[in-house]
Amino acid sequence: MVRDKLGKVLIMNRDPLFFIINLIPYLAEGLLVTLQVSVLSFCFGLGLAALLTLMRVFGSAPLRWISRTYVEAFRGTPTLVQLLLIYFGLPSVGVKFDPLTAAIIALSLNSAAYQAEILRSAIKAIPETQYLSAESLGMSTFQIYRHVILPQALRTAIPALVNEIVTLVKESSLASVIGVVELTRRGEYMVAYTFRALEVYIAVALVYLVVCLAMSQLSKVIEAKFRIPGYERGRI
Amino acid sequence: MKDVLLVKDLYVGYGDQEVIRGISLRITEGERVVIMGPSGSGKSTLLKSIVRLVEPWKGEVYINGVNVLSDEVDIRKIRQMVGFVFQSYNLFPHMTVLRNVMLPLEVVKGLPKDEALKKAIGVLRLVGMEEYKDRYPLQLSGGQQQRVAIARALVMDPILLLLDEPTSALDPELREEVLDVLRNIAGRGISMLIVTHELDFAEDVADRIVFMDNGFVIEEGPPQELLYKPKIDRTRRFLRTIARRLYAVNRYR
């Protein structure tokens, strides 16, 4: 397959730039898997993070404890170990996933812990006076969060959430370890086929860089769109 | 006269710190009462505890005859009847001026949008902020923000307005624009409880002035008595301090 796409000409060509440029379309197919893993993990992670934050902010003592323990457990262990545990460890108790599913589950669970902390700190950053003035108008707790706290907290959280998805794009490279053929894994195949590790990994790194830069730009657009007028420091 | 607010032997504190030590207070319909007193005397705490933004320890509070501190009362219903204006305005920065004022009508009272809009425009006109309706709070001066905050409290048609040092965060020129709005509102016959150190304003507007210190009411009376002939030395000393700032110190000699 690789042979068909690149052909002998490319393999024999000693010009590194020519080699890298011609490699990129092949790597781009891996990029689709990388994006699939990272975007899905981000979305599932966000959903779970919302639940964890709900438990943390409104929950009874046991629910708060569960939420806190979850966050500590997933922040305090390496992502790679979590991935290996889910893919290689769980089958011994009868839970089996294909590599792609295992990668998405592991990264979702992991990212949920970080996103929950992002949401919690964004909510904590809203001053007490905002709650007081909303309460003084006769609003219920639900109304206060719905109309006053969350719209402000989510704005605060945008840069950190974009940072999280950038992190996920890069961390999804760990999925190559359990055999998901994403960007990094494709790079490894190419190295095995051409023995030109330097050029191949430079090309792989460039693809990651372009994607992450694009996401940072997107973040700036989103932040500008939701910036609170008059809040000049919001331009940083 | 009907009592709009009745406070009986109220005790309030934070943690083990007692701040209000047995205060009683009565405001009848249309009456305007000014509270004065040094920092830490419990003025803000008293205002907040009336609508349970701070939970009182013991005592009784009645608003329009309803026992505010009973377990059965829906405190949100009480808060809808009582407007609260904070020292630091506390508008919602992510909404336009108009949305700020419409929010309680739509969300709390459940009014349809067009009705809420009409009402909001009306009160914004009253405080002279109609032309700024599409601005955001952080684009306004402190005085303008406070006028919007007053509009937001008024739009709910409160039977009682609580104002917690509404001009203390403002410079002297901005103070006047806010005080003018408050004088105008006072002329409309709404019951008000105002914490302020503005002597002229208090004299113009108040039916009665209450002087607080250290969690107690030290002295109270009509402005002509309390401001010109305070009986208690602590009151005299405090007023002299304010007056000295106004270069009117001789008034209290």
Side-chain angles (χ1 to χ4, degrees):
Chain A
M1 180 188 71
V2 174
R3 214 175 298 256
D4 298 342
K5 289 209 168 154
L6 294 170
K8 282 242 160 6
V9 183
L10 173 58
I11 311 251
M12 300 309 291
N13 193 308
R14 300 318 294 172
D15 177 10
L17 199 60
F18 179 81
F19 181 72
I20 289 174
I21 289 171
N22 282 282
L23 208 53
I24 284 179
Y26 171 72
L27 292 176
E29 282 177 43
L31 177 63
L32 288 179
V33 180
T34 288
L35 288 177
Q36 187 189 354
V37 171
S38 43
V39 171
L40 285 177
S41 301
F42 178 81
C43 295
F44 293 141
L46 186 60
L48 185 54
L51 184 69
L52 288 166
T53 309
L54 216 63
M55 286 161 67
R56 186 75 185 265
V57 177
F58 297 110
S60 56
L63 286 179
R64 287 204 303 274
W65 182 85
I66 291 171
S67 175
R68 215 167 47 237
T69 308
Y70 179 95
V71 170
E72 294 302 341
F74 278 90
R75 275 199 315 189
T77 52
T79 316
L80 182 56
V81 174
Q82 293 162 15
L83 185 65
L84 296 175
L85 190 69
I86 285 170
Y87 186 64
F88 293 115
L90 288 186
S92 40
V93 289
V95 185
K96 263 182 152 168
F97 300 109
D98 63 274
L100 185 65
T101 313
I104 291 171
I105 290 174
L107 288 175
S108 300
L109 294 177
N110 177 277
S111 181
Y114 287 95
Q115 294 192 57
E117 282 300 276
I118 291 169
L119 296 180
R120 188 177 70 91
S121 61
I123 289 172
K124 268 186 83 170
I126 306 300
E128 176 76 17
T129 50
Q130 289 286 303
Y131 293 86
L132 270 185
S133 76
E135 278 177 11
S136 79
L137 296 169
M139 293 169 78
S140 67
T141 307
F142 174 78
Q143 290 167 342
I144 293 173
Y145 276 88
R146 158 83 179 75
H147 296 282
V148 178
I149 304 303
L150 291 182
Q152 294 185 69
L154 289 177
R155 284 176 166 87
T156 313
I158 290 171
L161 287 176
V162 172
N163 189 44
E164 178 61 21
I165 190 164
V166 168
T167 302
L168 274 171
V169 168
K170 293 178 294 178
E171 278 195 338
S172 67
S173 63
L174 292 173
S176 65
V177 172
I178 58 168
V180 178
V181 189
E182 38 66 80
L183 181 50
T184 303
R185 184 81 172 191
R186 285 217 167 212
E188 282 168 10
Y189 285 168
M190 283 312 296
V191 173
Y193 180 60
T194 64
F195 298 104
R196 294 170 72 169
L198 180 68
E199 292 97 326
V200 171
Y201 286 129
I202 284 176
V204 168
L206 280 176
V207 176
Y208 277 113
L209 183 65
V210 167
V211 171
C212 292
L213 285 179
M215 284 181 169
S216 317
Q217 282 308 311
L218 185 66
S219 170
K220 282 193 188 131
V221 174
I222 298 172
E223 281 172 51
K225 183 166 159 50
F226 289 103
R227 196 173 65 85
I228 294 173
Y231 185 59
E232 293 304 318
R233 281 181 297 166
R235 291 212 178 124
I236 294 171
Chain B
M1 263 296 192
K2 202 166 126 198
D3 287 341
V4 170
L5 173 69
L6 183 62
V7 175
K8 273 195 208 162
D9 209 22
L10 192 71
Y11 287 80
V12 193
Y14 305 96
D16 56 2
Q17 173 82 20
E18 195 176 66
V19 178
I20 303 281
R21 306 156 195 262
I23 280 188
S24 298
L25 186 71
R26 207 180 141 192
I27 298 183
T28 55
E29 220 168 48
E31 196 180 19
R32 294 177 296 272
V33 176
V34 160
I35 302 180
M36 290 186 172
S39 291
S41 58
K43 310 176 300 282
S44 282
T45 304
L46 175 64
L47 250 56
K48 287 187 180 128
S49 60
I50 287 170
V51 282
R52 286 170 68 175
L53 292 174
V54 172
E55 214 48 62
W57 285 357
K58 59 176 184 185
E60 292 169 59
V61 177
Y62 296 89
I63 287 172
N64 222 12
V66 180
N67 182 354
V68 173
L69 303 186
S70 99
D71 292 332
E72 287 99 67
V73 81
D74 180 1
I75 189 62
R76 290 189 285 134
K77 287 269 179 300
I78 301 288
R79 288 172 183 160
Q80 288 173 41
M81 303 194 295
V82 180
F84 204 113
V85 175
F86 296 85
Q87 182 177 349
S88 50
Y89 345 122
N90 301 353
L91 295 174
F92 305 130
H94 59 297
M95 295 176 186
T96 62
V97 162
L98 184 63
R99 285 288 306 145
N100 262 279
V101 180
M102 283 171 69
L103 184 74
L105 292 177
E106 285 189 275
V107 168
V108 181
K109 279 203 171 159
L111 288 191
K113 204 180 171 100
D114 51 339
E115 217 173 304
L117 180 73
K118 223 171 104 193
K119 216 158 173 204
I121 296 282
V123 282
L124 282 173
R125 190 175 301 142
L126 180 69
V127 300
M129 287 299 292
E130 190 192 356
E131 58 177 306
Y132 297 95
K133 66 182 169 49
D134 295 322
R135 299 275 193 98
Y136 284 80
L138 295 175
Q139 297 173 320
L140 303 174
S141 73
Q144 292 169 331
Q145 288 186 58
Q146 191 62 294
R147 279 148 65 192
V148 175
I150 291 167
R152 188 177 66 177
L154 279 178
V155 84
M156 298 289 277
D157 291 322
I159 56 165
L160 173 66
L161 203 52
L162 305 175
L163 300 114
D164 185 6
E165 303 206 39
T167 58
S168 298
L170 304 173
D171 69 49
E173 285 178 340
L174 298 183
R175 269 173 205 197
E176 282 310 317
E177 70 180 47
V178 172
L179 292 175
D180 283 344
V181 165
L182 289 177
R183 281 191 181 94
N184 179 8
I185 292 165
R188 300 166 77 91
I190 181 170
S191 308
M192 294 164 102
L193 180 57
I194 314 161
V195 175
T196 184
H197 294 142
E198 305 284 347
L199 293 176
D200 292 338
F201 172 72
E203 194 177 336
D204 293 349
V205 161
D207 297 307
R208 192 150 46 90
I209 297 181
V210 174
F211 185 75
M212 275 177 70
D213 189 26
N214 204 21
F216 299 102
V217 170
I218 301 282
E219 186 174 358
E220 63 175 296
Q224 295 305 319
E225 273 174 37
L226 194 124
L227 292 179
Y228 289 92
K229 295 165 282 188
K231 293 188 190 74
I232 313 282
D233 189 51
R234 181 70 188 94
T235 316
R236 191 194 317 274
R237 272 190 290 133
F238 182 74
L239 290 172
R240 189 189 297 153
T241 315
I242 303 179
R244 185 175 289 139
R245 256 186 38 219
L246 298 172
Y247 310 101
V249 64
N250 286 333
R251 194 192 272 185
Y252 301 106
R253 281 273 154 75

